[in-house]
Amino acid sequence: MKHRSSLAAALAAITLLAAPALAETAPPAITVTGEATVSVPPDLAQVDGGVTSEAKTAREASEANNAAMSKVLLALKAANIQEKDIQTSRLSLQPQYAPNRAGPSAVVGYRASNRVTIKVRDVSKVAGAIDTLVGAGANEIGGINFMVSQASKLLDEAREKAVADARRKAEIYARAAGVTLGAPLSISEEGNAPPVPYRRMAAGMVAATPVAQGEETLSVTVSVSWAIKAAQ
């Protein structure tokens, strides 16, 4: 009996301790998002290009592609583009089939492709990099991707504006609800991928390719929860 009474007393104590915790509720709050943007010129670019070769046999297509791509790589190095800034992005060898035939299609040839991504650290030299590719024999130019290397640092001003924007919105809701804002309870930044402009260009371009770098618009979004209290 004594053991049972001790157990009952322990359970009662646990219940009393847990009751205040269960009674706790989240403080009243208004949660809004704030947004801000900043436009800056890009300081980095990536150019995608390469060579596609076709031949009757897989070996011939591969050998022709290797020879053509070697010329492209030598031209890029001669244009003072460092090896660390040249990366293979696609390498393929595929059979080509005869079109519009009943039954299994016959293999009529092979297509070999080798493409690289070139990092250009001076955006004023993007047009020159493209001209170098085409002049060396590249017959595929996939696109240009302009970027901002220090995007997070440049977004600091936008972060301040985003919080101010969140407060402006929260004050509107507070006035409409007849309450006043207190201190912010939480602030979180939502993930925002920077824009990736893709500008496709046809092969066979002439020298002095016109390229406009423009500006990149970086954006930031924050979610802020503000404590609220009754208006006085």
Side-chain angles (χ1 to χ4, degrees):
M1 294 294 293
K2 187 176 181 180
H3 176 71
R4 291 182 179 178
S5 62
S6 298
L7 179 59
L11 291 173
I14 292 173
T15 302
L16 289 173
L17 290 172
L22 293 173
E24 291 180 1
T25 57
I30 293 176
T31 301
V32 296
T33 59
E35 300 174 335
T37 60
V38 58
S39 295
V40 295
D43 59 357
L44 188 65
Q46 287 184 336
V47 178
D48 178 66
V51 179
T52 293
S53 307
E54 295 183 355
K56 290 292 185 181
T57 67
R59 181 173 181 176
E60 289 173 341
S62 180
E63 289 179 347
N65 191 258
N66 291 342
M69 197 62 193
S70 294
K71 293 181 180 178
V72 170
L73 294 176
L74 287 174
L76 291 173
K77 293 176 183 178
N80 296 320
I81 297 177
Q82 300 182 40
E83 289 187 14
K84 67 177 183 178
D85 292 332
I86 304 173
Q87 184 178 46
T88 298
S89 57
R90 180 185 175 188
L91 185 64
S92 66
L93 177 62
Q94 298 177 335
Q96 302 300 298
Y97 298 94
N100 303 323
R101 285 191 177 185
S105 298
V107 175
V108 295
Y110 289 84
R111 176 180 294 169
S113 179
N114 191 339
R115 294 175 67 164
V116 293
T117 297
I118 305 161
K119 186 176 293 185
V120 183
R121 300 182 185 275
D122 182 350
V123 293
S124 66
K125 298 181 179 179
V126 170
I130 295 173
D131 293 338
T132 298
L133 280 169
V134 176
N139 54 14
E140 284 191 357
I141 305 295
I144 306 174
N145 180 13
F146 285 104
M147 297 171 291
V148 178
S149 60
Q150 300 294 328
S152 182
K153 183 177 180 180
L154 294 170
L155 277 172
D156 287 347
E157 180 183 351
R159 291 184 174 101
E160 294 181 6
K161 292 181 179 179
V163 173
D165 182 53
R167 185 176 185 88
R168 178 187 62 82
K169 294 177 181 177
E171 288 175 344
I172 294 174
Y173 286 117
R175 286 195 300 269
V179 297
T180 59
L181 291 183
L185 300 175
S186 66
I187 302 175
S188 62
E189 182 175 322
E190 299 180 5
N192 286 299
V196 181
Y198 188 77
R199 304 172 173 93
R200 186 167 183 82
M201 299 182 179
M205 295 177 295
V206 297
T209 302
V211 175
Q213 67 187 55
E215 286 189 337
E216 297 298 296
T217 299
L218 307 176
S219 64
V220 63
T221 301
V222 296
S223 177
V224 186
S225 290
W226 306 86
I228 57 175
K229 53 187 176 180
Q232 298 181 358

